[in-house]
Amino acid sequence: MATCPFGFTSQDESAVPSASVDTRTRSERRSEWSPALDETFGSAHRDYAELRRTDPFPWSEDFGGFWAATTYDDVVAIAQDERFITSVQNVVPHVPRSARRPPLHFDPPEHTAYREAIDPVMRRAVVATHKSKFRASADELVRDMLARGNADGVADFAAPFVVDCFAAFLGVPVELTRHVRAIGVRYGFAIQDMDADIIAECSVQLYDIAERVYGARLAVDPDPAQDLVGSLHAAAMDPANQITERTAIATIRQMIVAGMGAPQAVLGSCVVHLAQDRDLQEHLRRHPEDLPSAIEEFLRLHAPYRVFARTPREDTVVHGRMVRKNEPVALVFPSANRDAAAFDRPDEFVLHRKNNSHLAFGRGAHKCPAATLGRLELRIALQTLLERTTSFELAGEVRMMNWLEYGPRAVPLALVPANVA
């Protein structure tokens, strides 16, 4: 039995399992944990803390059966181990599909070709060129909330803002942006409701939008070094890889979805956090230069992804338990980010936390390519909200999303405007 980092082992036919390794088959296991589907803000973290203490790598029969990696070391090790792949099942619960959607559903080396097209146009210099459009969206949305006095921090702010930002980044024509916002927000809430009919309807519409965006961008001859469609199209024209124009369009569609869900969840959580911490809210109004550090701590405390899954190519021991080939393992990033073995005072907000190696954007080959974009969105959204208010606080009960993402679904707010022109 060959030993790997973080206590991982691979099982070969000649190896005899150690007596300390749990080698039970799926039919012999019992369910040890069920994710709470009716959460309050922060309740999941109490559940995860108890799991890390008593059963850090539990098996659950929910959603067709899956393992849950809750510790920092296990999540990092699995995310960086090439034996754990996404092409079999990339999320829990498994979403049936007629075809794999690039790049998330592909493993290296197929996945690598897409990242080589995506990563260069996600660099800081390119993303920064869209700042004015991001700010215009935030200004409009905050102004509308202040005009009402009471608003929903998700439906009226986080959800439409992140759709606007990704539409601006893609270069969506102005006349199509509102349509993208409407479909994107509707799709996001349908995912939370697990409404299969609306999900299917919106998915088709999103693919149609991706196709229209792809054609519209190519019509203006975009610079492949600056434009996502241009870069994917150039890759599709290269016979050295397997990217085609159809898979390039599918990539745009997949990235529209990814560009909506997680940023919305994190931004909603940031708004709740600030609404509950008036001292921090006021500090960041007076010291906007501290926002980048605050955002890193928000990302650590409120990481949205907990359903991304990997499946092993072979029977593999993780945390003393035998994970059979193709059994899904959910990487519970919000839990890993509060692991006391990795972070001092893990449940506290620590401004200017040293060595804040959080996992909000994942790790390994599938690390989020849009991390720079996400950070900029959060900075502009929060800075605008803070600048244009004297204060804001919760005006009702926060309702949480379901298991698919960690973050609020509804954030009732009462806002007091600042004297800003």
Side-chain angles (χ1 to χ4, degrees):
M1 187 179 294
T3 302
C4 300
F6 301 108
F8 280 43
T9 58
S10 60
Q11 189 76 15
D12 62 42
E13 293 181 358
S14 62
V16 177
S18 164
S20 63
V21 174
D22 179 357
T23 60
R24 286 176 293 178
T25 63
R26 179 166 180 163
S27 63
E28 296 169 331
R29 301 184 202 123
R30 61 176 179 83
S31 189
E32 300 162 349
W33 174 62
S34 287
L37 300 183
D38 187 15
E39 298 176 343
T40 57
F41 191 75
S43 66
H45 291 296
R46 293 189 289 275
D47 294 342
Y48 299 150
E50 181 65 13
L51 281 176
R52 291 192 303 272
R53 187 180 70 83
T54 62
D55 191 3
F57 193 72
W59 169 258
S60 176
E61 287 292 345
D62 291 21
F63 308 129
F66 71 101
W67 298 96
T70 67
T71 68
Y72 187 92
D73 282 353
D74 282 350
V75 169
V76 168
I78 292 169
Q80 295 183 155
D81 191 329
E82 292 183 356
R83 292 172 300 163
F84 286 84
I85 59 178
T86 68
S87 51
V88 174
Q89 180 173 339
N90 67 294
V91 290
V92 172
H94 179 59
V95 177
R97 55 185 186 265
S98 58
R100 290 184 296 160
R101 293 177 185 150
L104 183 59
H105 301 170
F106 288 13
D107 299 305
E110 286 179 288
H111 174 265
T112 306
Y114 289 92
R115 291 302 294 261
E116 288 174 348
I118 293 167
D119 289 352
V121 297
M122 288 289 187
R123 66 189 188 277
R124 189 183 306 275
V126 176
V127 169
T129 64
H130 303 284
K131 286 170 60 175
S132 62
K133 292 180 180 177
F134 295 1
R135 179 68 191 223
S137 171
D139 281 336
E140 174 200 344
L141 294 167
V142 173
R143 185 170 58 247
D144 289 349
M145 288 197 296
L146 289 171
R148 294 192 296 275
N150 290 75
D152 187 315
V154 174
D156 298 324
F157 186 49
F161 175 73
V162 300
V163 174
D164 284 356
C165 288
F166 205 77
F169 174 77
L170 278 178
V172 174
V174 173
E175 64 275 12
L176 187 55
T177 298
R178 294 293 173 177
H179 179 58
V180 173
R181 179 194 282 188
I183 299 301
V185 172
R186 186 169 181 241
Y187 178 84
F189 282 112
I191 289 286
Q192 291 304 309
D193 292 333
M194 296 188 180
D195 188 325
D197 291 340
I198 294 180
I199 290 171
E201 176 189 337
C202 290
S203 184
V204 171
Q205 291 175 308
L206 286 168
Y207 192 90
D208 177 66
I209 287 170
E211 200 163 26
R212 291 169 63 185
V213 168
Y214 192 84
R217 293 306 302 157
L218 291 186
V220 298
D221 192 22
D223 179 359
Q226 302 284 327
D227 187 275
L228 181 59
V229 169
S231 184
L232 285 167
H233 176 69
M237 297 298 101
D238 183 355
N241 62 55
Q242 296 178 328
I243 299 176
T244 67
E245 290 209 273
R246 296 308 296 172
T247 63
I249 293 168
T251 302
I252 296 295
R253 185 259 180 224
Q254 182 69 17
M255 293 190 70
I256 290 173
V257 172
M260 295 184 304
Q264 172 189 317
V266 174
L267 179 53
S269 291
C270 292
V271 172
V272 175
H273 190 121
L274 286 168
Q276 294 178 322
D277 190 339
R278 290 290 296 276
D279 289 342
L280 178 60
Q281 194 182 126
E282 192 54 37
H283 174 86
L284 292 176
R285 278 196 187 88
R286 295 195 310 269
H287 300 283
E289 69 275 11
D290 282 343
L291 259 176
S293 178
I295 285 168
E296 294 309 305
E297 190 68 339
F298 287 142
L299 287 164
R300 185 188 69 82
L301 287 169
H302 306 297
Y305 290 127
R306 56 184 173 183
V307 301
F308 278 168
R310 303 288 189 271
T311 58
R313 303 175 190 266
E314 60 192 51
D315 291 359
T316 306
V317 177
V318 181
H319 222 106
R321 313 201 63 178
M322 181 66 71
V323 180
R324 302 295 178 180
K325 179 181 177 180
N326 291 342
E327 287 183 338
V329 181
L331 305 180
V332 188
F333 293 111
S335 175
N337 272 353
R338 296 197 185 204
D339 188 344
F343 299 98
D344 184 42
R345 296 151 60 196
D347 294 314
E348 296 180 32
F349 179 95
V350 179
L351 190 62
H352 304 300
R353 178 181 288 275
K354 294 181 180 178
N355 302 317
N356 192 352
S357 299
H358 63 74
L359 304 176
F361 295 109
R363 191 66 64 86
H366 288 278
K367 184 176 180 179
C368 178
T372 297
L373 175 63
R375 287 182 169 103
L376 181 63
E377 289 176 353
L378 289 173
R379 182 165 63 82
I380 288 175
L382 295 177
Q383 186 169 353
T384 304
L385 182 61
L386 291 165
E387 286 176 354
R388 295 199 170 273
T389 60
T390 299
S391 66
F392 56 91
E393 60 186 16
L394 296 179
E397 182 180 357
V398 174
R399 288 192 295 119
M400 296 297 288
M401 294 181 178
N402 59 31
W403 158 253
L404 295 177
E405 270 141 358
Y406 176 80
R409 174 175 177 151
V411 181
L413 291 176
L415 306 100
V416 178
N419 295 320
V420 178

